[in-house]
């Protein structure tokens, strides 16, 4: 047992202060030793064990149990401890690691202002670093480093840094673990505990240095991750040692690596090189991709833990080709990655006893759905779900029950398409049902584990049926030597793959969450305003609501600011736990609003400011009234209803004004006349004279600011039959008496300089007999700017009334035409007072009508194109 403990403890990185006599001058440096097999677990022992039963590994092993592999978090998160187990990196992965040494030294004349750390990546020399991340911010790339090194200017510890908040404010250096590498000079010069003996030969590590900066590092030292290319491996096919992701070459390298450096420590004669090189050739076969191009059939991009048992590491390696490894006849061999044509046919005359057939696997071992994950190389090796592989055919064979086998993360798999091929291989291999045990004579002596054989047994109807040998045992008994083969059915279809079977990645790539260690990003705030009434009766005031957004779920505090555009300093608001803030009693004006957010680690975003925004307050025009509807009542009244207006300054001190146009469509405020009286802004209905046409409603706030116009069309309807008995039509001649107005071209217009005018109808309406009558006016007007502003003073416009103006003027121009009537009283032989009307009932015989025209200023003209009054009596 003592030997077991020593070997397992050997796979540790050690910080030591004095040279070790039993080791090279790594001694006092960052050193790596590697533990190998547990005591007694030698090649011979494994051979003896494997001779009795096939060692089912790789994806096949995953069907029985998941390989114990380092998770992404275990290999990317930083820990702090002086002693740690080493990792062997094959291929390319993103690694974190254990901080084995850290110090604070003087900077700027102040103690403990500069931070230093050393983080090992692998217990061997690596091919190089690709990029470095601090938290979720990429700060360094190999491509940039090469450009900076070629120029040879600036601080070498800044070479390779790319644009980010950290650029030029940190120092980084990657030591690849070369056998002749020297100790990190900046650390040696700054910290007494790190000396020239701390060379770390054969250990790849990254050195990090930064000065104290509360804004840059609000929670202390950041998480460091390095995307690196791993160990260079020897290829017997050409005698070269190079970086490779070929899983067969990686397995060969691991097996031959001495125990002292984390491997198994076997010799070349302990390996079945023919099988390994055959697998190496197979792994490099190009496989077409659905998106175009090709990729290697098999690859391994992952880490092996020197603390784990070699069996576990070999299992992890063999998942890369979905096959197996075994120790057969004293040598490590591999297989299961492709179909192999059988070289031997077993017949009845080779059997020395009865065979045993197992027709179907136990139900608990069945599955028809496969799930798995892979470390996506295009998304910083984030572990991501592969598309679920389900077979309805197999599900039907399982009586419709959905049986799921979750393979978990495929160790070393970083390819989306390759991962799907491994899932299919696992499903098809797992569905192999028939197994057979064949007691054979010495004629089967040459059969090896993993071989494919044909079996011809006419009594069972088997003719050259193919099986894979999964177990081999040799026994000696009274009947002689027996080679007992355990086999499972197989066929070439298991390894088939077509690009049509590949499920593409989701559009937009793999979704990832922002990191809590990265500086958060927030949007500029949006501003909306609303009015409110103070409790103390102080009147109506303005409240501003600020709101910001972010896609960072780790933000837990917000802060907003505001300043008038003319002010130099902003007013910073208190913290809120939601991305909103309310500012009461804001005076009208133009402001700049800002926002920032803080994540759970205390890191603030930058202040983000919106463009200048105007707070109008009570000066803001009200919104339109909504859901305006109307109906006639009693044949003489139009009932209008609408929703309660949302603006406080309309409901308090405001009003709603109504106008009417004689058309059912196309009516505008400028082509209509006032009808009825305005109502308070707080009410939701009004009673107006009934006339066919369009009713228009417009809100005004307490300061008189008008809002948009809403309209509803009505047709006058009456339950009492009525007939027209008289009519006065003034257009187009307009021959009546005029004061402040004139007629030309069939249009009656207010005179220039006049804001009020009267037009008296040409004649008196005589109904023949006195009695009740309903008078209804019919008016069409247009309020226009008097001058066409497209032309300067002294230029001639190219229009004359009644042609429309080229310049249509202000839609808010105000004017009106008020129709008025008076009734002759025969008892006194006098005319009564003038009364305004739109549609109203009177009693009499003789009626005189006039129109009062008004505009709000001399800049406007009111033009009348239709003006008539009709009289109706019941029939």
């Amino acid at each position: 047992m003592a030997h077991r403990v020593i070997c397992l403890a050997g796979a540790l990185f050690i910080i030591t202060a004095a040279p070790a006599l039993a080791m090279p001058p790594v001694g006092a440096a960052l050193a790596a030793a590697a533990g190998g097999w547990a005591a007694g677990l030698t090649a011979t022992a494994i051979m003896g064990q494997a001779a009795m039963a096939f060692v089912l590994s790789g994806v096949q092993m995953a069907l029985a149990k998941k390989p114990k592999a380092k998770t992404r978090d275990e290999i990317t998160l930083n820990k702090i401890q002086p002693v740690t187990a080493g990792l062997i990196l094959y291929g390319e992965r993103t690694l974190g690691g254990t901080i084995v040494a850290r110090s604070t030294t003087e900077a700027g004349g102040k103690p403990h202002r500069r931070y230093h750390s050393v983080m090992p990546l692998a217990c061997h020399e690596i091919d190089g670093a690709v990029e470095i991340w601090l938290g979720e911010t990429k700060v360094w790339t190999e491509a940039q480093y090469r450009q900076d090194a070629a120029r040879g200017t600036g601080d070498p510890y800044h070479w390779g840094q790319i644009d980010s908040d950290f650029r030029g404010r940190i120092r980084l250096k990657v030591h690849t673990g070369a056998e002749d590498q020297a100790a990190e000079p900046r650390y040696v010069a700054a910290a007494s505990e790190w000396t020239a003996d701390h060379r770390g030969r054969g250990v790849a590590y990254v050195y990090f240095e930064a000065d104290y900066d509360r804004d840059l590092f609000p929670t202390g030292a950041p998480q460091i991750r390095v995307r690196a290319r791993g160990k260079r491996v020897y290829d017997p096919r050409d005698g070269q040692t190079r970086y490779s992701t070929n899983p067969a070459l990686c397995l060969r390298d691991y097996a031959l690596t001495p125990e002292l450096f984390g491997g198994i420590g076997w010799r070349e004669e302990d390996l079945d090189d023919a099988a390994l090189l055959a697998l190496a050739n197979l792994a490099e076969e190009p496989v077409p991709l659905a998106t175009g191009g090709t990729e290697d059939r098999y690859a391994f991009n992952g880490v092996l833990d020197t603390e784990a048992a070699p069996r576990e590491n070999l299992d992890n390696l063999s998942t890369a080709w979905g096959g197996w490894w075994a120790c057969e006849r004293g040598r490590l061999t591999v297989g299961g990655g492709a179909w192999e044509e059988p070289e031997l046919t077993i017949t009845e005359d080779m059997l020395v006893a009865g065979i045993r057939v197992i027709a179907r696997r136990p139900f608990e071992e069945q599955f028809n759905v496969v799930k798995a994950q892979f470390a996506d190389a295009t998304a910083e090796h984030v572990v991501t779900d592969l598309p679920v592989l389900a077979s309805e055919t197999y599900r039907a064979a399982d009586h419709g029950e959905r049986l799921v086998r979750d393979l978990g993360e495929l160790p070393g798999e970083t390819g989306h398409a390759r991962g799907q091929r491994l899932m299919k291989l696992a499903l098809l291999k797992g569905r192999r049902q028939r197994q057979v045990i064949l007691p054979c004579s010495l004629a089967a002596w040459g059969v090896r584990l993993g071989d494919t054989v044909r079996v011809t047994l006419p009594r069972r109807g088997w003719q050259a049926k193919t099986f894979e040998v999964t177990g081999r045992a040799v026994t000696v008994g009274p009947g002689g030597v027996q080679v007992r083969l355990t086999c499972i059915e197989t066929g070439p279809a298991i390894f088939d793959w077509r690009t049509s079977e590949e499920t593409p990645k989701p559009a937009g790539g793999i979704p990832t969450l922002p990191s809590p260690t990265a500086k958060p990003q927030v949007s500029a705030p949006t501003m909306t305003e609303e009015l409110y009434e103070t409790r103390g009766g102080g009147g109506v005031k303005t409240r501003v609501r600020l709101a910001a957004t972010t896609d960072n779920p780790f933000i837990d505090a917000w802060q907003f600011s505001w300043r008038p555009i003319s002010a130099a300093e902003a007013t910073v608001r208190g913290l809120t736990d939601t991305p909103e803030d309310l500012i009461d009693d804001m005076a009208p004006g133009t402001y700049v609003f800002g926002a920032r957010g803080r994540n759970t680690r205390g890191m603030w975003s930058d202040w983000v400011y919106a463009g200048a925004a105007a707070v109008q307050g009570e000066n803001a025009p009200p919104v339109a009234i909504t859901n305006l509807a109307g109906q006639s009542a009693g044949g003489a009244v139009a009932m209008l209803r609408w929703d309660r207006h949302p603006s406080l300054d309309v409901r308090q001190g405001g009003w709603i004004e109504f106008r009417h146009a004689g058309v059912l469509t196309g009516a505008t405020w400028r082509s209509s006349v006032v009808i009825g009286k305005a109502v308070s802004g707080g009410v939701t209905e009004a009673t107006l004279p009934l006339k066919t046409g369009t009713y228009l409603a417009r809100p005004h706030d307490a300061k008189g600011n008008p809002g948009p116009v809403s309209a509803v069309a009505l047709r006058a309807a009456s339950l009492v039959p009525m007939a027209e008995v008289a009519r006065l039509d003034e257009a187009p001649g307009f021959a009546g008496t005029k004061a402040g107005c004139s007629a030309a071209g069939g249009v009656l217009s207010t005179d220039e300089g006049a804001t009020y005018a009267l037009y008296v109808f040409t004649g008196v309406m005589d109904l023949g007999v006195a009695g009740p009558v309903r008078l209804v006016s019919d008016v069409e007007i247009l309020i226009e700017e008097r001058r066409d502003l497209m032309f300067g003073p002294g230029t001639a416009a190219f229009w004359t009334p009644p042609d429309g103006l080229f310049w249509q003027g202000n839609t808010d121009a105000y004017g009106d035409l008020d129709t008025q009537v008076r009734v002759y009283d025969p008892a006194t032989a006098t005319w009564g007072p003038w009364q305004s009307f739109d549609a109203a009932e009177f009693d009499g015989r003789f009626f005189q009508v006039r129109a009062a025209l008004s505009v709000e200023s001399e800049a406007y003209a009111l033009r009348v194109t239709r003006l008539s009054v009709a009289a109706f009596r019941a029939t």
Side-chain angles (χ1 to χ4, degrees):
M1 289 302 293
H3 178 64
R4 177 188 298 268
V5 173
I6 292 172
C7 289
L8 290 179
L12 305 176
F13 287 111
I14 303 171
I15 298 297
T16 177
L21 299 177
M23 298 179 65
V26 170
L30 177 66
W37 293 101
L41 193 54
T42 63
T44 304
I46 292 180
M47 178 201 68
Q49 183 181 14
M52 298 302 295
F54 177 62
V55 183
L56 190 63
S57 304
V59 172
Q60 291 176 269
M61 187 67 175
L63 304 183
K65 65 176 183 179
K66 297 179 183 178
K68 183 181 178 181
K70 287 283 189 182
T71 66
R72 178 181 182 270
D73 284 348
E74 289 177 310
I75 65 175
T76 60
L77 295 182
N78 296 168
K79 296 179 291 184
I80 300 173
Q81 60 188 58
V83 180
T84 183
L87 297 179
I88 300 176
L89 171 63
Y90 290 115
E92 184 177 298
R93 282 298 286 264
T94 301
L95 304 175
T98 299
I99 306 297
V100 297
R102 60 177 182 162
S103 306
T104 56
T105 60
E106 178 184 297
K110 297 181 180 179
H112 307 299
R113 298 288 294 183
R114 180 163 294 165
Y115 174 80
H116 312 258
S117 68
V118 169
M119 185 183 76
L121 301 173
C123 61
H124 53 77
E125 183 176 3
I126 62 173
D127 188 59
V130 180
E131 55 196 25
I132 301 177
W133 296 70
L134 295 186
E136 296 303 313
T137 303
K138 183 160 61 174
V139 300
W140 184 98
T141 67
E142 182 182 39
Q144 185 64 47
Y145 180 85
R146 289 176 176 173
Q147 293 180 19
D148 295 342
R151 287 193 294 265
T153 59
D155 187 346
Y157 288 84
H158 292 160
W159 291 354
Q161 294 185 30
I162 60 175
D163 286 336
S164 74
D165 292 335
F166 298 95
R167 186 173 187 177
R169 302 165 73 180
I170 59 173
R171 291 183 174 88
L172 289 168
K173 186 173 182 181
V174 176
H175 295 261
T176 61
E179 289 299 323
D180 60 349
Q181 74 182 9
E184 169 51 51
R186 286 190 65 87
Y187 204 2
V188 171
S192 59
E193 62 269 23
W194 200 261
T195 71
D197 290 327
H198 291 74
R199 299 173 61 179
R201 292 182 297 175
V203 177
Y205 69 93
V206 60
Y207 170 73
F208 173 78
E209 177 187 312
D211 290 349
Y212 172 75
D213 189 321
R214 181 187 297 273
D215 293 330
L216 201 59
F217 308 109
T219 58
Q223 292 281 328
I224 303 174
R225 294 184 293 122
V226 180
R227 186 170 185 148
R229 292 186 306 276
K231 193 175 185 182
R232 301 186 185 103
V233 299
Y234 177 73
D235 188 346
R237 295 173 296 178
D238 59 11
Q240 299 294 316
T241 299
R242 65 173 71 87
Y243 167 77
S244 176
T245 62
N246 190 309
L249 300 182
C250 295
L251 184 143
R252 187 180 188 279
D253 177 84
Y254 174 67
L256 294 178
T257 297
E259 292 182 69
L260 181 64
F261 298 106
I264 301 177
W266 283 357
R267 300 166 299 173
E268 291 195 11
E269 51 266 33
D270 296 323
L271 306 180
D272 183 353
D273 258 350
L276 285 168
L277 297 185
L279 177 60
N281 292 331
L282 175 68
E284 293 175 359
E285 288 181 357
V287 177
L289 298 174
T291 55
T294 63
E295 69 177 0
D296 288 349
R297 181 175 297 277
Y298 301 122
F300 185 82
N301 292 275
V303 297
L304 304 181
D305 189 352
T306 58
E307 221 176 13
R311 180 187 299 275
E312 294 175 0
N313 285 333
L314 291 173
D315 286 347
N316 292 334
L317 282 163
S318 60
T319 61
W321 67 87
W324 50 265
W325 65 272
C327 286
E328 163 70 358
R329 303 184 185 186
R331 293 193 300 172
L332 176 65
T333 188
V334 293
W339 166 256
E340 296 180 4
E341 284 294 333
E343 296 182 358
L344 176 68
T345 299
I346 297 176
T347 59
E348 288 184 343
D349 57 359
M350 297 173 62
L351 299 176
V352 297
I355 69 172
R356 180 188 174 195
V357 178
I358 302 173
R360 187 174 176 84
R361 292 176 181 268
F363 185 77
E364 58 270 16
E365 295 181 11
Q366 302 285 359
F367 58 93
N368 48 55
V369 177
V370 177
K371 295 182 178 181
Q373 296 175 313
F374 77 116
D376 189 357
T378 65
E380 311 311 324
H381 296 111
V382 172
V383 176
T384 306
D385 289 335
L386 286 161
V388 175
L389 177 62
S391 170
E392 291 303 320
T393 301
Y394 293 153
R395 184 174 180 175
D398 295 330
H399 308 291
E401 188 167 350
R402 190 171 186 265
L403 307 175
V404 180
R405 176 58 51 87
D406 189 352
L407 302 180
E409 181 183 349
L410 299 177
E413 187 51 67
T414 60
H416 187 261
R418 189 162 44 233
Q420 294 178 67
R421 295 200 300 273
L422 292 175
M423 290 172 66
K424 180 186 177 184
L425 194 58
L427 177 63
L428 296 184
K429 285 188 175 184
R431 294 303 299 192
R432 296 183 299 182
Q433 300 293 327
R434 185 177 288 108
Q435 300 177 65
V436 62
I437 299 175
L438 302 171
C440 301
S441 65
L442 286 175
W445 179 260
V447 177
R448 306 182 343 147
L449 290 173
D451 281 353
T452 303
V453 298
R454 293 188 179 92
V455 179
T456 298
L457 298 175
R459 286 182 299 174
R460 288 191 169 269
W462 294 357
Q463 183 63 40
K465 190 171 184 64
T466 54
F467 288 88
E468 180 183 2
V469 178
T470 60
R472 179 180 182 276
V474 179
T475 61
V476 179
V481 178
Q482 182 183 110
V483 180
R484 188 179 181 86
L485 302 180
T486 301
C487 306
I488 190 168
E489 63 181 343
T490 189
I494 290 175
F495 300 92
D496 286 348
W497 177 260
R498 295 178 297 276
T499 55
S500 60
E501 299 177 84
E502 180 183 330
T503 301
K505 282 187 179 181
I510 304 300
T512 56
L513 289 174
S515 168
T517 64
K519 178 184 287 189
Q521 303 290 323
V522 302
S523 71
T526 58
M527 183 275 293
T528 56
E529 56 179 287
E530 58 191 47
L531 301 177
Y532 69 101
E533 185 178 14
T534 59
R535 292 183 179 179
V540 176
K541 295 188 177 181
T542 303
R543 174 187 293 130
V544 164
R545 183 184 301 273
L546 301 178
T549 60
T550 183
D551 61 356
N552 191 318
F554 303 107
I555 291 182
D556 65 350
W558 294 83
Q559 196 168 35
F560 293 85
S561 70
W562 62 273
R563 67 173 177 85
I565 195 170
S566 58
E569 298 294 329
T571 299
V572 178
R573 304 278 294 172
L575 297 181
T576 69
D577 56 4
T578 62
E580 287 190 355
D581 195 11
L582 293 176
I583 308 175
D584 289 338
D585 198 13
M586 289 289 288
T590 304
Y591 296 86
V592 174
F593 298 100
R596 67 173 182 167
R598 186 187 67 190
N599 65 14
T600 53
R601 297 176 67 89
M603 182 176 290
W604 283 100
S605 72
D606 294 327
W607 278 103
V608 183
Y609 298 96
V615 176
Q616 295 181 322
E618 293 182 82
N619 296 325
V623 298
I625 63 175
T626 56
N627 293 326
L628 177 65
Q631 63 183 48
S632 62
V637 174
M639 297 290 298
L640 300 188
R641 292 184 174 86
W642 57 92
D643 292 341
R644 183 171 182 262
H645 201 279
S647 297
L648 185 62
D649 59 345
V650 171
R651 299 195 305 268
Q652 296 186 7
W655 66 92
I656 298 175
E657 181 183 11
F658 305 97
R659 293 175 76 97
H660 181 272
V663 295
L664 293 172
T665 60
T668 66
W669 196 255
R670 293 185 300 119
S671 64
S672 60
V673 296
V674 172
I675 187 169
K677 292 184 178 181
V679 297
S680 169
V683 303
T684 58
E685 61 181 31
T687 301
L688 303 174
L690 178 63
K691 296 174 65 176
T692 295
T694 301
Y695 289 84
L696 301 102
R698 191 176 200 180
H700 296 256
D701 64 18
K703 289 192 173 184
N705 297 315
V709 177
S710 301
V712 61
L714 289 179
R715 292 183 182 273
S718 174
L719 295 176
V720 179
M722 302 190 74
E724 183 178 315
V725 295
R727 172 179 287 272
L728 296 177
D729 284 316
E730 297 302 298
F734 294 105
T737 304
K738 307 174 185 69
C741 58
S742 57
V747 177
L748 177 68
S749 302
T750 54
D751 292 337
E752 185 167 357
T755 59
Y756 182 81
L758 280 177
Y759 174 80
V760 181
F761 278 44
T762 305
V764 174
M765 180 179 287
D766 182 1
L767 302 183
V769 294
V773 65
R774 180 177 177 79
L775 299 182
V776 179
S777 64
D778 184 13
V779 177
E780 184 178 82
I781 70 168
L782 182 64
I783 305 168
E784 298 178 331
E785 293 194 41
R786 186 166 292 279
R787 295 179 178 84
D788 188 338
L789 300 182
M790 288 298 292
F791 300 91
T795 61
F798 55 79
W799 57 268
T800 56
D803 296 333
L805 283 171
F806 180 79
W807 177 268
Q808 290 301 319
N810 187 348
T811 59
D812 289 334
Y814 187 85
D816 188 29
L817 186 151
D818 181 25
T819 51
Q820 301 173 358
V821 65
R822 62 179 178 175
V823 183
Y824 182 75
D825 184 358
T828 62
T830 60
W831 290 96
W834 289 101
Q835 305 175 61
S836 296
F837 78 98
D838 292 292
E841 282 76 25
F842 298 91
D843 191 353
R845 174 181 175 181
F846 298 101
F847 299 89
Q848 190 175 28
V849 183
R850 72 180 184 182
L853 287 65
S854 62
V855 289
E856 63 179 342
S857 77
E858 298 177 0
Y860 299 99
L862 188 145
R863 309 189 190 282
V864 184
T865 55
R866 186 170 72 243
L867 181 60
S868 65
V869 172
F872 297 87
R873 278 181 172 169
T875 58

